[in-house]
Amino acid sequence: MRPQTLTFCGLGTYTAKQTIDFTDKRFIAIVGDTGAGKSTILEAICCALYNRCTYAATASPLVADGGDGTLAVELTFTVGSRRWQVSRSVSRHTATSVHRLTCLDTGALTTGARQVTAEIRRIVGLDCDTFLRAVVLPQGRFQELLRMSDRDRGKVLDSVLGLEQLGQVREHARTLQARLKDRLNEYQLHRRRFLDDPAAALAAAAEQHSVQQQGLEHLQNARAAIADARAEQRRTAGAVSTLTQLKESLAAAVPAGAADQLHALASQAQTLNGQRADINQLTHQLQIEQDLLQGQLTQAEQYGGNVAGTATTISTLKYLAEQLPQQRKRHRQLTENAEALAVEQLRLQDVQQSLADLEPAVAAANKTHADAETAFKRAQGRQHKAVERLRIWRGAAADLEKARAELATTEEALGTAIAKAREAAGIAEKTEHNRSESEQTHRALLKANAAAHAAADLEPGAACLICTRPLPADFTAPIAPDLTAADDAHKKARVRAEKTGRAAAVAAARVETLERDNLPAAQQSVTTAESLLSEALISLQEVVGDADLSGTDEQILKLVTDDAAKAQQDVERAGKIRDDTRDTATAARTEFVTLSETVG
């Protein structure tokens, strides 16, 4: 607010109309002797703005004793880019008064004492008390300021400007702080249970949910793979069982001691081979003899007509009669040997059929053994993978426990720091209260001392430094109080307040550090450890399935260990069946070749 023109009459010592032009004036000094009416100009401005004087709640004390008993004031001023004009008029003899506020730029008009004053407060932004403290320095306080030291002058300015109210407000604020501190701390502790950034936490949770979903898919795939592996293992076990049954059926089909029997057959075949050679030789001899006898018979028939021929024929018939039993015996032997050889040939055909049956059995045994080895390698790899992933999961669980322990330690340290901060704040508040009381006492003594010094040179009848009215006849200047003890007590109270205040600040800084740095870091460590543990858990469950993870390592790995052991047993059993089948087939093939060569 900048005044432009001021016009007044019937105010204070000015009964005639007075006009003061402030236009284009940056600095203005009102100079004159005591009682010349310098403060009356400030009273006129205050009356125009707030309808009162600087020392009373109304404008009536400003009405001049002379004249017609009517006070009239008009002030033109600017606020920002707008120009305003306020006019007020009060009379000592009538209750009629005039109050008008006009915006010279827009023509807006406001009337009425209260309405004009309220609009002035809105436009200027100050009420009357604030205007007086911030703009107008009451008469008499200036001389007092000149006589005081810098420190005391600051106290007086505090009083003039109403800054002591700040102390009252501060004290009230401290009272409210003390009253609400425990509740605030409780709310702060309760707040820590919630997320610092819900949106970020929601995004992180969504990302974690996506990771968990992927982990779930991996786990489902792993379970399917485990089911396939178990099905493969069951198929391998079924093949081993089938091969075992085939071996048993082959063992039943091939007589016990087949190899020994084959050796015996080979020996018999050699014997039969010799007998067949003998039979062939005897047959050849018999054929020769038969041919000889046939020739002799033919001769006998030719020479039967004479005596010599008849004698020869008789001699030949006798010889044939003698040879006939022996030839018949040899013929029977040859027939028996031929029949025995035919039986052995049938047995050889049976052995050949058994050998033909062994060939697919050998192939099946080889395939079963290869499948069992593949299943064993897969189970063994799964076992090794489970052991490694279990180790990683155990390590991640230990890291999480460590992170949680560190978080608990940090939270405990934070709780202790908060308790110490509360205690330090309570002590600081108490010492600050003591300092405030000491300051108020000291300020009162300073005021009393200043008043005593200001009134020391005044005599009865002299003008009062505050209201400018004559002092009474019995006026006696007050005695200035001694400030030494008050200064010392005030100094000690201030030192104690500063010391406890610093201690409270250090404790609060410790709490702030724990809340800002240590606690978030510990919480982040727990979050990271939980994420790693979750990943390790998913990876472990991919190989151990639904195993109870609360047990020992041996219990957790029991399923994969048993699968690997069973797969190894299947390999060993399939290997033994394969070897036995191979040995049986090899022996049968060797003896069959030998027997075939012999019989053939």
Side-chain angles (χ1 to χ4, degrees), residues 180-500:
L180 300 176
K181 193 167 187 178
D182 292 339
R183 187 181 302 175
L184 176 61
N185 291 332
E186 181 181 354
Y187 288 159
Q188 288 176 343
L189 290 175
H190 187 66
R191 173 64 181 83
R192 293 190 188 98
R193 300 175 185 173
F194 299 96
L195 300 173
D196 293 335
D197 189 349
L202 179 61
E207 183 178 357
Q208 185 67 20
H209 175 71
S210 177
V211 173
Q212 295 293 339
Q213 192 68 25
Q214 294 177 359
L216 178 60
E217 293 177 358
H218 290 320
L219 182 58
Q220 291 174 346
N221 294 334
R223 288 178 176 175
I226 291 174
D228 293 341
R230 290 179 177 174
E232 180 67 21
Q233 183 180 16
R234 287 193 295 270
R235 286 194 296 271
T236 303
V240 172
S241 177
T242 302
L243 189 59
T244 302
Q245 295 175 0
L246 179 60
K247 178 184 176 182
E248 293 175 354
S249 63
L250 288 174
V254 179
D260 295 336
Q261 292 181 11
L262 289 174
H263 284 291
L265 287 175
S267 178
Q268 292 178 7
Q270 292 177 357
T271 302
L272 290 174
N273 190 33
Q275 292 177 354
R276 185 176 65 179
D278 293 339
I279 290 173
N280 291 334
Q281 184 177 1
L282 290 174
T283 301
H284 182 66
Q285 291 178 356
L286 286 176
Q287 186 65 36
I288 295 173
E289 291 178 357
Q290 184 177 0
D291 293 341
L292 180 60
L293 290 175
Q294 185 66 32
Q296 290 177 355
L297 286 174
T298 302
Q299 271 185 345
E301 289 178 356
Q302 292 176 355
Y303 296 106
N306 53 43
V307 176
T310 302
T312 302
T313 299
I314 293 172
S315 176
T316 300
L317 291 172
K318 288 182 179 180
Y319 174 75
L320 290 176
E322 292 175 357
Q323 294 293 325
L324 183 60
Q326 185 177 2
Q327 294 297 325
R328 289 178 178 174
K329 180 178 179 181
R330 289 183 178 179
H331 184 271
R332 284 196 301 272
Q333 290 178 352
L334 289 174
T335 301
E336 291 175 357
N337 290 338
E339 292 176 353
L341 183 60
V343 171
E344 295 302 327
Q345 286 179 341
L346 292 176
R347 292 181 62 185
L348 182 61
Q349 291 177 357
D350 293 338
V351 172
Q352 182 179 9
Q353 183 62 42
S354 298
L355 181 60
D357 294 337
L358 282 175
E359 293 298 334
V362 171
N366 290 334
K367 184 177 184 306
T368 301
H369 181 263
D371 292 342
E373 282 188 335
T374 301
F376 172 64
K377 290 179 181 179
R378 188 182 299 113
Q380 195 175 39
R382 180 169 162 239
Q383 182 184 18
H384 294 162
K385 188 182 297 184
V387 171
E388 178 62 19
R389 293 186 180 182
L390 178 60
R391 183 189 65 79
I392 296 175
W393 179 71
R394 291 291 192 194
D399 292 341
L400 177 58
E401 290 299 323
K402 182 179 178 182
R404 286 176 175 172
E406 291 177 353
L407 176 59
T409 302
T410 303
E411 290 177 342
E412 182 180 0
L414 177 59
T416 302
I418 291 175
K420 290 182 178 179
R422 288 179 182 174
E423 182 181 0
I427 296 174
E429 182 179 357
K430 183 177 180 181
T431 55
E432 179 61 24
H433 179 73
N434 294 337
R435 185 203 64 78
S436 178
E437 291 182 346
S438 174
E439 183 177 354
Q440 292 178 1
T441 302
H442 188 256
R443 183 181 299 169
L445 291 175
L446 286 176
K447 290 181 179 180
N449 184 68
H453 283 290
D457 297 333
L458 298 179
E459 297 179 355
C464 177
L465 297 177
I466 303 300
C467 64
T468 72
R469 299 179 184 276
L471 294 174
D474 59 348
F475 172 77
T476 303
I479 300 174
D482 185 11
L483 298 179
T484 304
D487 288 341
D488 185 60
H490 181 254
K491 182 178 179 180
K492 290 182 178 179
R494 187 177 67 252
V495 171
R496 284 195 297 271
E498 291 174 352
K499 182 178 180 180
T500 55

Side-chain angles (χ1 to χ4, degrees), residues 490-568:
H490 181 254
K491 182 178 179 180
K492 290 182 178 179
R494 187 177 67 252
V495 171
R496 284 195 297 271
E498 291 174 352
K499 182 178 180 180
T500 55
R502 286 192 298 270
V506 171
R510 171 61 176 167
V511 173
E512 181 180 1
T513 300
L514 288 172
E515 290 179 338
R516 184 187 67 244
D517 300 330
N518 300 59
L519 184 61
Q523 291 173 338
Q524 182 59 40
S525 297
V526 171
T527 302
T528 302
E530 288 176 343
S531 177
L532 293 176
L533 179 62
S534 177
E535 294 176 1
L537 176 61
I538 293 174
S539 179
L540 176 62
Q541 288 178 333
E542 288 179 354
V543 291
V544 300
D546 298 329
D548 184 8
L549 301 181
S550 62
T552 63
D553 290 358
E554 182 179 359
Q555 292 172 338
I556 295 174
L557 298 174
K558 185 177 187 304
L559 180 62
V560 293
T561 302
D562 291 347
D563 288 346
K566 189 175 183 303
Q568 185 176 11

Side-chain angles (χ1 to χ4, degrees), residues 6 37 42-43 125 129 152 162 189 241 384 393 419 476 478 480 577 600:
L6 175 65
L42 299 178
E43 295 290 352
D129 291 337
D152 294 339
L189 290 175
S241 177
H384 294 162
W393 179 71
T476 303
I577 293 173

